[in-house]
Amino acid sequence: MKMRFACVVVMGLVVVLGGLPFSSGAQLDPDFYNNTCPKVHSIVFDVVQNVAETDPRMPASLIRLLFHDCFVQGCDASILLNNTLKIRSEQQAQPNRNSIRGLNVVNDIKTAVENACPGVVSCADILVLAAQASSVLGGGPDLIFPLGRRDSLTANRKLANENLPAPSFTLTELNETFAAQGLDTTDLVALSGAHTIGRAHCSFIHDRLYNFNGTRKPDPTLDPTYLQQLRKSCPRIARPKTLLNLDPTTPDTFDKNYYSNLKVNKGLFQSDQELFSTPGADTINIVNKFSRNQKAFFNSFANSMIKMGNIGVLTGNEGEIRKQCNFVNKKSVEVDTGSLASESEEGMVSSI
Ligand code: HEM
Ligand SMILES: *[C@@H]1O[C@H](CO)[C@@H](O)[C@H](O)[C@H]1NC(C)=O
Ligand SMILES: *[C@@H]1O[C@H](CO)[C@@H](O)[C@H](O)[C@H]1NC(C)=O
Ligand SMILES: *[C@@H]1O[C@H](CO)[C@@H](O)[C@H](O)[C@H]1NC(C)=O
Ligand SMILES: *[C@@H]1O[C@H](CO)[C@@H](O)[C@H](O)[C@H]1NC(C)=O
């Protein structure tokens, strides 16, 4: 037994020295801030609740923000970083441009959290806590995320363009996109259920309404009445600002109706409808189950959100706790070319 223990320790050291991901060995923990910021959950909740009173779409936007963070180099708040000389912001990537929302709300949360416990809570954890508050406020399940994520020093616009799924994706493409993040079929179906709340721009379904897959006809899986409604809201000559409900039955309530809609061919995106309408797909039974049993959906959604929230996290002494979510703490050498003296000082500190 003793020998075996020693062996494990040595292997652990090798991992640390190898600089692999998770090398710090630190673990996420739901009680991570118990001593350092015990009220963080309620601080985040209160800000989201206040905003949601005047902007009922915001909980949806915040849940989507977490998804778009986690699929791009992990849940590290990289999506929050703005353009600088060193950072090519993910906010301008195709899946984010003109559609992500909530960046200012995250900044308001950060300010409230910093007032209570300065320099302690990461922006990456604020994103999961905002998603938790959003699910609860919409009537969805509580999401007990383990905490202790740290914030990235980099962003990756290229990965944001590559890793995030498009609404025109087939089931095969969705499968690949989710599998690449370590997520399985149940995760894909459960997480897609987030489309029980929120809005989408007409541009994402224009082809489905008028020229599906180059056929010059609508997507044949669309329910005819729903197709007419959608064409009314989204005429052939595009009105770029028009928004549609992702769930046409209960647009702001987090419930199982997303799945009932799929069963009557009222999924808004092709990527939604594919889960039920792809012949022989292993997703069909899961849609059926969730459409019958909201508890089963909520349990799976909570599991899959926590799984998603653990993708590629930075812990221990990796990354940093950002002071301002839109920028890394240390001004880059490139930005600071004017003040060489202070620059070399910073360089010394960083090399220690
Ligand atoms: C399965 C592949 C997915 C695709 C192709 C997809 C695509 C999209 C698109 C195109 C929009 C509309 C954006 C806009 O017009 O502004 C949207 C909205 C949304 N998505 Fe997804 N999504 C997917 C999965 C997810 C997942 C996994 C989540 C979260 C767990 C999620 C949460 C949301 C929410 C809540 C909205 C509404 C946002 C708002 O109202 O601001 N989606 N999605
Ligand atoms: C952290 O706080 C929660 C809520 O107050 C409590 O239930 C839990 O036992 C605490 N955990 C630890 C490790 O102190
Ligand atoms: C960050 O960029 C966004 C646009 O992507 C802009 O609205 C916001 O004002 C910027 N934030 C700061 C603090 O510069
Ligand atoms: C992709 O398909 C394989 C084979 O059916 C399956 O085992 C896997 O769970 C699927 N992954 C996703 C994300 O759907
Ligand atoms: C789109 O058309 C191509 C052939 O042009 C076909 O292989 C593909 O299956 C079609 N996709 C859908 C979703 O119908």
Side-chain angles (χ1 to χ4, degrees):
M1 284 311 270
K2 229 176 182 172
M3 278 300 284
R4 199 176 148 189
F5 180 62
C7 189
V8 170
V9 170
V10 170
M11 281 178 62
L13 276 176
V14 170
V15 171
V16 171
L17 294 172
L20 293 168
F22 316 113
S23 60
S24 67
Q27 294 269 317
L28 300 182
D29 177 350
D31 298 327
F32 188 83
Y33 296 112
N34 259 23
N35 299 323
T36 52
C37 199
K39 294 212 166 76
V40 67
H41 289 82
S42 66
I43 295 170
V44 175
F45 187 90
D46 289 350
V47 176
V48 178
Q49 185 174 39
N50 274 334
V51 174
E53 273 169 26
T54 52
D55 183 355
R57 182 184 169 195
M58 189 49 69
S61 306
L62 291 169
I63 289 176
R64 184 168 189 246
L65 205 49
L66 177 65
F67 162 47
H68 283 211
D69 183 34
C70 293
F71 270 50
V72 181
Q73 73 177 23
C75 310
D76 60 357
S78 57
I79 194 172
L80 302 178
L81 290 176
N82 271 24
N83 284 318
T84 62
L85 287 181
K86 284 237 164 143
I87 302 279
R88 270 170 64 75
S89 177
E90 294 168 16
Q91 293 159 25
Q92 278 78 41
Q94 175 65 29
N96 293 331
R97 198 189 311 153
N98 303 325
S99 75
I100 51 161
R101 300 174 76 240
L103 297 170
N104 291 338
V105 177
V106 172
N107 288 339
D108 290 349
I109 297 170
K110 177 68 169 173
T111 303
V113 170
E114 287 293 303
N115 285 341
C117 354
V120 166
V121 181
S122 66
C123 300
D125 277 344
I126 284 176
L127 284 176
V128 304
L129 292 170
Q132 177 186 17
S134 296
S135 178
V136 170
L137 284 164
D142 201 358
L143 311 171
I144 315 290
F145 286 102
L147 302 169
R149 291 166 194 73
R150 292 171 60 89
D151 299 323
S152 71
L153 304 173
T154 59
N156 194 325
R157 187 182 297 174
K158 186 163 174 285
L159 273 191
N161 278 314
E162 287 170 3
N163 288 7
L164 290 163
S168 58
F169 269 17
T170 62
L171 188 58
T172 308
E173 294 170 308
L174 292 169
N175 177 300
E176 286 166 4
T177 306
F178 277 66
Q181 302 291 339
L183 300 173
D184 63 24
T185 307
T186 306
D187 299 319
L188 167 62
V189 179
L191 292 171
S192 295
H195 289 174
T196 176
I197 53 173
R199 312 283 180 268
H201 294 85
C202 284
S203 54
F204 291 115
I205 59 157
H206 195 268
D207 286 2
R208 260 197 117 196
L209 302 184
Y210 298 104
N211 185 17
F212 180 65
N213 202 14
T215 59
R216 297 175 184 276
K217 295 206 170 89
D219 184 340
T221 59
L222 265 175
D223 170 78
T225 312
Y226 189 44
L227 170 66
Q228 291 319 316
Q229 284 168 12
L230 292 173
R231 281 184 158 183
K232 232 184 209 165
S233 308
C234 307
R236 199 182 281 272
I237 310 294
R239 287 181 204 153
K241 293 213 163 143
T242 305
L243 291 169
L244 303 160
N245 294 325
L246 279 161
D247 172 357
T249 55
T250 49
D252 292 318
T253 308
F254 199 103
D255 57 20
K256 64 182 171 60
N257 288 348
Y258 168 79
Y259 301 101
S260 334
N261 296 336
L262 299 184
K263 291 179 73 171
V264 294
N265 295 318
K266 293 185 179 181
L268 185 65
F269 298 140
Q270 180 183 348
S271 61
D272 296 317
Q273 197 58 49
E274 289 269 331
L275 302 177
F276 187 73
S277 298
T278 307
D282 54 0
T283 48
I284 297 172
N285 282 337
I286 309 174
V287 171
N288 280 325
K289 182 166 101 185
F290 291 164
S291 75
R292 280 194 301 263
N293 184 343
Q294 184 153 289
K295 211 166 164 195
F297 165 44
F298 279 15
N299 281 336
S300 287
F301 184 75
N303 277 335
S304 298
M305 283 292 281
I306 283 153
K307 203 167 156 187
M308 183 177 87
N310 289 343
I311 296 171
V313 293
L314 304 173
T315 59
N317 52 17
E318 297 166 326
E320 65 181 7
I321 306 295
R322 280 183 217 145
K323 295 192 173 71
Q324 216 277 39
C325 291
N326 302 134
F327 302 99
V328 300
N329 293 339
K330 202 166 163 313
K331 280 189 185 141
S332 75
V333 174
E334 277 180 41
V335 172
D336 245 358
T337 44
S339 56
L340 282 173
S342 73
E343 202 39 64
S344 58
E345 248 171 60
E346 272 194 33
M348 298 267 291
V349 172
S350 79
S351 65
I352 290 170

mmCIF file of all heavy atoms in Angstrom, residues 174-176 178-179 183-186 188 282, ligand 4:
data_model
loop_
_atom_site.group_PDB
_atom_site.id
_atom_site.type_symbol
_atom_site.label_atom_id
_atom_site.label_comp_id
_atom_site.label_asym_id
_atom_site.label_seq_id
_atom_site.Cartn_x
_atom_site.Cartn_y
_atom_site.Cartn_z
ATOM 1 N N LEU A 174 -23.814 18.613 -34.778
ATOM 2 C CA LEU A 174 -24.026 18.918 -33.356
ATOM 3 C C LEU A 174 -23.303 17.888 -32.497
ATOM 4 O O LEU A 174 -22.652 18.233 -31.501
ATOM 5 C CB LEU A 174 -25.521 18.911 -33.021
ATOM 6 C CG LEU A 174 -26.355 20.024 -33.645
ATOM 7 C CD1 LEU A 174 -27.840 19.743 -33.458
ATOM 8 C CD2 LEU A 174 -25.983 21.379 -33.050
ATOM 9 N N ASN A 175 -23.433 16.636 -32.891
ATOM 10 C CA ASN A 175 -22.766 15.551 -32.169
ATOM 11 C C ASN A 175 -21.260 15.833 -32.081
ATOM 12 O O ASN A 175 -20.674 15.754 -31.007
ATOM 13 C CB ASN A 175 -23.055 14.221 -32.880
ATOM 14 C CG ASN A 175 -22.341 13.044 -32.236
ATOM 15 O OD1 ASN A 175 -21.119 13.017 -32.150
ATOM 16 N ND2 ASN A 175 -23.102 12.052 -31.771
ATOM 17 N N GLU A 176 -20.654 16.212 -33.205
ATOM 18 C CA GLU A 176 -19.205 16.456 -33.212
ATOM 19 C C GLU A 176 -18.834 17.649 -32.334
ATOM 20 O O GLU A 176 -17.863 17.607 -31.577
ATOM 21 C CB GLU A 176 -18.719 16.704 -34.643
ATOM 22 C CG GLU A 176 -18.672 15.428 -35.473
ATOM 23 C CD GLU A 176 -18.525 15.701 -36.965
ATOM 24 O OE1 GLU A 176 -18.385 16.886 -37.365
ATOM 25 O OE2 GLU A 176 -18.581 14.721 -37.739
ATOM 26 N N PHE A 178 -20.377 18.905 -29.746
ATOM 27 C CA PHE A 178 -20.505 18.633 -28.312
ATOM 28 C C PHE A 178 -19.502 17.582 -27.853
ATOM 29 O O PHE A 178 -18.919 17.701 -26.772
ATOM 30 C CB PHE A 178 -21.956 18.240 -27.959
ATOM 31 C CG PHE A 178 -22.846 19.442 -27.777
ATOM 32 C CD1 PHE A 178 -23.140 20.276 -28.846
ATOM 33 C CD2 PHE A 178 -23.368 19.773 -26.532
ATOM 34 C CE1 PHE A 178 -23.931 21.415 -28.686
ATOM 35 C CE2 PHE A 178 -24.157 20.903 -26.355
ATOM 36 C CZ PHE A 178 -24.446 21.717 -27.436
ATOM 37 N N ALA A 179 -19.305 16.561 -28.691
ATOM 38 C CA ALA A 179 -18.338 15.522 -28.328
ATOM 39 C C ALA A 179 -16.944 16.129 -28.149
ATOM 40 O O ALA A 179 -16.187 15.721 -27.266
ATOM 41 C CB ALA A 179 -18.321 14.422 -29.390
ATOM 42 N N LEU A 183 -18.880 16.289 -24.150
ATOM 43 C CA LEU A 183 -20.305 16.189 -23.804
ATOM 44 C C LEU A 183 -20.968 15.117 -24.669
ATOM 45 O O LEU A 183 -20.598 14.939 -25.831
ATOM 46 C CB LEU A 183 -20.984 17.553 -23.998
ATOM 47 C CG LEU A 183 -20.402 18.682 -23.134
ATOM 48 C CD1 LEU A 183 -21.004 20.030 -23.511
ATOM 49 C CD2 LEU A 183 -20.628 18.412 -21.644
ATOM 50 N N ASP A 184 -21.950 14.407 -24.088
ATOM 51 C CA ASP A 184 -22.566 13.282 -24.795
ATOM 52 C C ASP A 184 -23.965 13.635 -25.297
ATOM 53 O O ASP A 184 -24.409 14.786 -25.204
ATOM 54 C CB ASP A 184 -22.562 12.033 -23.905
ATOM 55 C CG ASP A 184 -23.394 12.223 -22.642
ATOM 56 O OD1 ASP A 184 -24.308 13.079 -22.641
ATOM 57 O OD2 ASP A 184 -23.124 11.514 -21.654
ATOM 58 N N THR A 185 -24.651 12.619 -25.817
ATOM 59 C CA THR A 185 -25.971 12.850 -26.424
ATOM 60 C C THR A 185 -26.973 13.433 -25.434
ATOM 61 O O THR A 185 -27.745 14.336 -25.778
ATOM 62 C CB THR A 185 -26.527 11.524 -26.987
ATOM 63 O OG1 THR A 185 -25.536 10.956 -27.844
ATOM 64 C CG2 THR A 185 -27.784 11.752 -27.776
ATOM 65 N N THR A 186 -26.965 12.892 -24.214
ATOM 66 C CA THR A 186 -27.899 13.421 -23.208
ATOM 67 C C THR A 186 -27.594 14.883 -22.909
ATOM 68 O O THR A 186 -28.503 15.709 -22.776
ATOM 69 C CB THR A 186 -27.810 12.582 -21.910
ATOM 70 O OG1 THR A 186 -28.022 11.216 -22.249
ATOM 71 C CG2 THR A 186 -28.854 13.018 -20.905
ATOM 72 N N LEU A 188 -26.246 17.027 -24.980
ATOM 73 C CA LEU A 188 -26.690 17.801 -26.144
ATOM 74 C C LEU A 188 -28.184 18.091 -26.065
ATOM 75 O O LEU A 188 -28.618 19.240 -26.235
ATOM 76 C CB LEU A 188 -26.369 17.028 -27.438
ATOM 77 C CG LEU A 188 -27.027 17.552 -28.716
ATOM 78 C CD1 LEU A 188 -26.582 18.977 -29.034
ATOM 79 C CD2 LEU A 188 -26.733 16.628 -29.904
ATOM 80 N N ASP A 282 -30.590 8.740 -31.874
ATOM 81 C CA ASP A 282 -30.645 8.371 -30.451
ATOM 82 C C ASP A 282 -31.109 9.535 -29.580
ATOM 83 O O ASP A 282 -31.236 9.397 -28.372
ATOM 84 C CB ASP A 282 -29.281 7.837 -29.985
ATOM 85 C CG ASP A 282 -28.132 8.791 -30.275
ATOM 86 O OD1 ASP A 282 -28.386 9.882 -30.842
ATOM 87 O OD2 ASP A 282 -26.975 8.463 -29.950
HETATM 88 C C1 LIG B 4 -22.226 11.045 -30.918
HETATM 89 O O1 LIG B 4 -22.596 9.768 -31.417
HETATM 90 C C2 LIG B 4 -22.029 8.667 -30.709
HETATM 91 C C3 LIG B 4 -22.459 7.405 -31.433
HETATM 92 O O2 LIG B 4 -23.829 7.349 -31.546
HETATM 93 C C4 LIG B 4 -22.494 8.691 -29.270
HETATM 94 O O3 LIG B 4 -21.918 7.629 -28.536
HETATM 95 C C5 LIG B 4 -22.130 10.009 -28.631
HETATM 96 O O4 LIG B 4 -22.641 10.101 -27.324
HETATM 97 C C6 LIG B 4 -22.675 11.154 -29.475
HETATM 98 N N1 LIG B 4 -22.236 12.425 -28.914
HETATM 99 C C7 LIG B 4 -23.055 13.474 -28.813
HETATM 100 C C8 LIG B 4 -22.464 14.696 -28.235
HETATM 101 O O5 LIG B 4 -24.213 13.471 -29.178
#
